[in-house]
Structures are given as C-alpha cells and as structure tokens.
Amino acid sequence: MLLAPVFITASAAVVGLLGSVHLLFTFSGNKFDPRDPVVTEALKVVSPIISRQTTMARAAKGFHASHSLGAMLFGLVWAYLALVQWVVLRQSLFLLVLGMAVLLAYLALAQRYWFSVPLRGIALANVLYAAGLVLDLLAN
C-alpha cells in the first residue's frame, strides 16, 4: 500500500474538519462574537467604507462562511485526488505544488492572525502533506 496518498488524505481531512467546524461556529452560537457587547451592537449597525449595503457584522459572517467553504473545498478536492485519482495528482507538479502553497499560505495566515487551535491544525496539515510528498519522492 502506498503511504503517500494516506498522508495527503490525512492532511486534507484536517483542513476539511477545521473548515467544517468553522462553518458550524459561524452559524451557531456566539464563538466569533466580540466579548464586549457594546462592540457587538456597534458591528450590527456600522457599515464598511466600501458599501452601506451591509454591516460589519453581516460582512464578517459572510467572510467566515466563505473562508470555511474554501477550507472544506480544499479538503474535499485533495482527499478525492489522493484517494481516487492518485495517479493524476502525483503526475501533476502543478497540483502537488498548489496544495503545498495553499497550506503554507494558511499557515502564514494562522501565525499572523488566528489563534492556537487553527494554527496547530494547519501546522499538522502542512507536516502531513509534506510527509506525503517526501514519501512519494522516496517511492520513485
């Protein structure tokens, strides 16, 4: 059994799980609300400079949801490629590099803007993906 696709699938699963939990938290509960209720109320009425057609609270909810969907899409596509289309993935330098680039970009964002749980998850996804790449190189 080839181990490389297992590691890449595990990496994709971590990102997909993070995205799914993020989407759940976006639409249920108050996990992403400010701790200060005054700020929460202000975000519900203040518009961003770019448009008066939304509020900061509505925009934030949309940004959280689209961010979640992006992570979920990455997880689904790379898991599918690793599990079902392994030959296609391993023969495409573009897709292999793109996957690593997306994970590294998420890692940079996590280090700069996020908190410890997603940082650890994204770091794990990076290690798993890199291990899959190394195992594939060693198999050749």
Side-chain angles (χ1 to χ4, degrees):
M1 174 184 172
L2 294 174
L3 284 179
V6 172
F7 277 85
I8 291 178
T9 301
S11 171
V14 168
V15 175
L17 178 63
L18 287 170
S20 298
V21 170
H22 191 95
L23 188 65
L24 177 68
F25 286 170
T26 297
F27 290 110
S28 64
N30 61 355
K31 299 281 192 220
F32 296 125
D33 288 353
R35 291 182 187 273
D36 184 337
V38 173
V39 174
T40 300
E41 290 308 310
L43 292 173
K44 291 178 181 177
V45 296
V46 174
S47 295
I49 292 172
I50 195 168
S51 174
R52 293 189 186 276
Q53 295 177 328
T54 191
T55 64
M56 293 303 295
R58 287 179 50 218
K61 189 150 303 237
F63 295 145
H64 279 289
S66 62
H67 170 71
S68 300
L69 293 173
M72 293 164 61
L73 178 64
F74 176 90
L76 287 171
V77 170
W78 261 261
Y80 171 79
L81 289 169
L83 288 173
V84 180
Q85 297 292 331
W86 175 242
V87 174
V88 172
L89 180 59
R90 75 182 304 252
Q91 290 179 350
S92 175
L93 181 61
F94 172 78
L95 290 174
L96 290 171
V97 170
L98 178 63
M100 192 79 252
V102 168
L103 291 172
L104 288 170
Y106 277 143
L107 184 62
L109 289 169
Q111 288 174 324
R112 176 81 170 127
Y113 299 108
W114 303 343
F115 54 99
S116 63
V117 172
L119 173 59
R120 289 185 194 132
I122 293 299
L124 174 62
N126 271 271
V127 168
L128 291 167
Y129 194 92
L133 293 179
V134 169
L135 287 169
D136 185 51
L137 286 173
L138 293 176
N140 290 329

